[in-house]
Amino acid sequence: MSILPDVFRDVLRRFAAGVTVVTSARDGVRLGLTVTAFTSVSVEPPLIAVVIQRDHRITPLLQADDASFAVNLLSATQQPLSDRFAYVKDEDRFTEGTWTTAETGAPVLQDALAWLDCRLHGRLDAGTHTIYVGRVVAAAVPSADATQPLVYCDRAYYTLTPPA
C-alpha cells in the first residue's frame, strides 16, 4: 500500500524548518532559490545537504563535476528575500540584498544570519529531487547579535520564541 501524495504533503508541511537561500554561480550567471530542505551531515569532514527539485534552473550549475554552492541562512527579518527567491521568475533575484562572493565564487548574503560556502561532495537522485552534499570550505556568522532564524511551517513564516 502506498500513501497518497496529498496526505504525504499534508503531514510534511507540519514540520517546521529554517529558511535558506541556496546560490551558485558559473560563467557570470548567478542563480538561487529558497530551500527549507537543508541539514547538517557531518562535522568531520564538515558536510551539509540540500534537496532541490531536479527541474529547477539551478540544476545545470549543480550538476557540474566542479560545482559549488552557498547556503545562506535567513534571519527573521528576511522574509521578503525568501519570497523573492521563491517566486520571482524573470528578473534578477540578486537585485535585493547585499551580496558578495565566497571562496568558491558562490554568492553569499552579507547580512544573512549565517552562511556556508561549499564544494560539491556528492549527489543522489531522489524521486523528483536531487540531494546535494556539500563540503563546507568557508562559513561565517556576520553578526553575533543576530540569533532569530526565519522559520517556515504549514505554509506560513514564523519566528522562534524561547520557552519561558
Side-chain angles (χ1 to χ4, degrees):
M1 186 167 123
S2 181
I3 186 170
L4 295 173
D6 288 344
V7 172
F8 188 59
R9 282 187 201 97
D10 193 42
V11 169
L12 293 181
R13 76 177 206 209
R14 285 163 169 73
F15 183 73
V19 181
T20 71
V21 169
V22 174
T23 59
S24 187
R26 184 178 213 71
D27 299 328
V29 174
R30 298 187 303 177
L31 295 173
L33 71 156
T34 300
V35 173
T36 57
F38 158 75
T39 190
S40 62
V41 174
S42 169
V43 173
E44 288 294 328
L47 301 174
I48 57 91
V50 294
V51 183
I52 298 174
Q53 192 165 351
R54 201 174 307 129
D55 65 357
H56 193 275
R57 293 184 331 166
I58 202 170
T59 298
L61 297 182
L62 298 177
Q63 291 293 48
D65 289 337
D66 62 345
S68 60
F69 60 94
V71 180
N72 298 275
L73 285 66
L74 299 187
S75 73
T77 63
Q78 294 174 317
Q79 177 182 337
L81 196 60
S82 171
D83 288 341
R84 181 173 189 77
F85 276 81
Y87 303 119
V88 168
K89 299 294 180 209
D90 295 328
E91 61 184 271
D92 184 0
R93 294 176 174 185
F94 294 91
T95 58
E96 299 293 325
T98 305
W99 297 91
T100 189
T101 303
E103 180 178 320
T104 66
V108 292
L109 184 61
Q110 285 186 332
D111 61 346
L113 186 65
W115 56 261
L116 301 145
D117 185 29
C118 306
R119 296 197 190 285
L120 183 67
H121 180 77
R123 68 176 76 83
L124 175 68
D125 287 339
T128 57
H129 288 64
T130 301
I131 301 167
Y132 295 96
V133 177
R135 183 179 183 115
V136 180
V137 297
V141 177
S143 173
D145 295 335
T147 60
Q148 286 293 320
L150 183 60
V151 177
Y152 192 76
C153 182
D154 200 14
R155 300 181 183 152
Y157 291 102
Y158 292 87
T159 56
L160 297 179
T161 302

